[in-house]
């Protein structure tokens, strides 16, 4: 029973940390390249622990991200819900990909997320972002192997299923 409780605490802790990393300020030039941490962490958990990840949790994390970052309410909730929906649908295949294949899949997921964000922001009346704005999904995909291995190592050390 304690493994279940520790697992819930670990899951919540990683999600809170991802929200805090999202708020981490970067120099103006690097800001468009900042990875979307909540998407990466939710992708990990959707791959490794489907019984704990749901569309409702993704929506809740997205609403929290909307509130703390001050963007259009529901924007990140929509993005994260769509991302988790896709990951849960392709999980049986994605889970057993080699790491380089997972990197490509995560890049595709993050590019899809950017496309959703672009559509939402264009409907909100914002202008088309610069080309560097599309670099964030590539940075997130490049960080995926390290994040995956870090979270997986911590999960195995804490003996969380």
């Amino acid at each position: 029973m304690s493994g279940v409780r520790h697992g819930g605490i670990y899951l919540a802790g990683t999600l809170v940390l991802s929200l805090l990393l999202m708020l981490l300020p970067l120099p103006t030039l690097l800001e468009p390249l900042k990875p979307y941490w909540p998407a990466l962490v939710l992708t990990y958990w959707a791959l490794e622990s489907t019984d704990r990840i749901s569309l409702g949790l993704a929506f809740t994390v997205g609403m929290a991200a909307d509130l703390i970052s001050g963007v259009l309410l529901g924007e990140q909730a929509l993005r994260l819900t769509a991302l988790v929906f896709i990951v849960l649908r392709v999980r049986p295949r994605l889970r057993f990909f080699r790491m380089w294949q997972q990197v490509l899949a995560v890049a595709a997921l993050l590019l899809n997320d950017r496309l959703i964000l672009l559509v939402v922001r264009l409907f909100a009346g914002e202008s088309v972002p610069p080309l560097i704005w599309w670099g964030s999904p590539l940075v997130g995909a490049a960080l995926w192997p390290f994040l995956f291995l870090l979270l997986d190592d911590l999960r195995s050390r804490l003996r969380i299923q």
Side-chain angles (χ1 to χ4, degrees):
M1 184 68 167
S2 75
V4 172
R5 186 173 56 93
H6 290 304
I9 292 170
Y10 180 59
L11 169 65
T14 56
L15 290 172
V16 167
L17 183 61
S18 73
L19 292 172
L20 292 175
L21 284 171
M22 186 181 74
L23 295 175
L24 190 68
L26 289 178
T28 307
L29 240 91
L30 297 178
E31 191 67 33
L33 298 175
K34 186 186 331 181
Y36 190 31
W37 293 108
L40 291 169
V41 172
L42 277 170
T43 300
Y44 170 80
W45 282 111
L47 286 175
E48 295 300 317
S49 183
T50 56
D51 59 325
R52 296 175 188 209
I53 297 298
S54 66
L55 297 180
L57 177 64
F59 184 81
T60 303
V61 170
M63 289 300 280
D66 289 333
L67 291 172
I68 64 174
S69 63
V71 296
L72 181 65
L73 193 60
E75 174 185 289
Q76 293 184 64
L78 171 69
R79 294 167 54 199
L80 290 175
T81 304
L83 179 115
V84 168
F85 176 78
I86 295 168
V87 172
L88 291 176
R89 295 282 297 180
V90 299
R91 178 188 183 271
R93 288 174 292 235
L94 188 58
R95 192 158 181 253
F96 296 105
F97 279 2
R98 293 184 176 149
M99 187 54 74
W100 69 268
Q101 292 170 315
Q102 274 191 12
V103 167
L104 292 177
V106 168
L109 287 166
L110 294 174
L111 284 168
N112 181 62
D113 173 71
R114 274 296 178 175
L115 190 60
I116 292 170
L117 177 59
L118 177 67
V119 169
V120 168
R121 291 201 174 164
L122 288 176
F123 276 124
E126 293 186 23
S127 60
V128 176
L131 192 57
I132 193 170
W133 185 77
W134 292 95
S136 174
L138 303 177
V139 172
L143 291 174
W144 173 251
F146 305 106
L147 180 69
F148 181 88
L149 292 174
L150 173 69
L151 292 174
D152 215 40
D153 183 53
L154 290 172
R155 187 174 60 88
S156 67
R157 286 179 194 236
L158 296 173
R159 295 188 178 105
I160 298 168
Q161 294 183 351

